[in-house]
Amino acid sequence: MRDPHPADLQGPAATIAAAESFYSLWDVDTGNSLGTYDTREEALAVAQALIEANGSSYADDLDLSVEDVGGDIRHVASGEALLLMVGIDQRAFAD
């Protein structure tokens, strides 16, 4: 009979696996997904590149969220909060 609680599903590794999540970046104006990312840093790098290419006002169209393995989605940032997270001073742009 197979062990219903294999060793690889117990202890600290099981806790880490259960905590895995991914980040999503959306253009809320168009309703398009701009991708999913394994880390917040990856998602923020893409957001930063998009904002730098399109101007600081584009941050208002972006939404960064995180989804856990259970399917729970939590809003992380958009607009000014997203600008702060990527380290962009909106006054640096002349939109």
Side-chain angles (χ1 to χ4, degrees), residues 54-77:
N54 294 289
S56 65
S57 64
Y58 188 55
D60 292 332
D61 293 338
L62 297 177
D63 181 75
L64 178 63
S65 59
V66 62
E67 183 172 346
D68 65 26
V69 292
D72 293 323
I73 300 171
R74 182 177 55 85
H75 170 75
V76 175

Side-chain angles (χ1 to χ4, degrees), residues 20-33:
E20 288 181 12
S21 57
F22 65 90
Y23 291 82
S24 297
L25 190 61
W26 289 83
D27 182 318
V28 295
D29 187 46
T30 65
N32 290 321
S33 170

Side-chain angles (χ1 to χ4, degrees), residues 41-94:
E41 291 75 20
E42 289 175 310
L44 289 173
V46 171
Q48 181 177 7
L50 289 168
I51 294 166
E52 288 174 349
N54 294 289
S56 65
S57 64
Y58 188 55
D60 292 332
D61 293 338
L62 297 177
D63 181 75
L64 178 63
S65 59
V66 62
E67 183 172 346
D68 65 26
V69 292
D72 293 323
I73 300 171
R74 182 177 55 85
H75 170 75
V76 175
S78 61
E80 278 189 50
L82 188 57
L83 287 172
L84 289 172
M85 289 182 79
V86 300
I88 292 178
D89 183 347
Q90 64 185 349
R91 295 171 296 182
F93 286 89

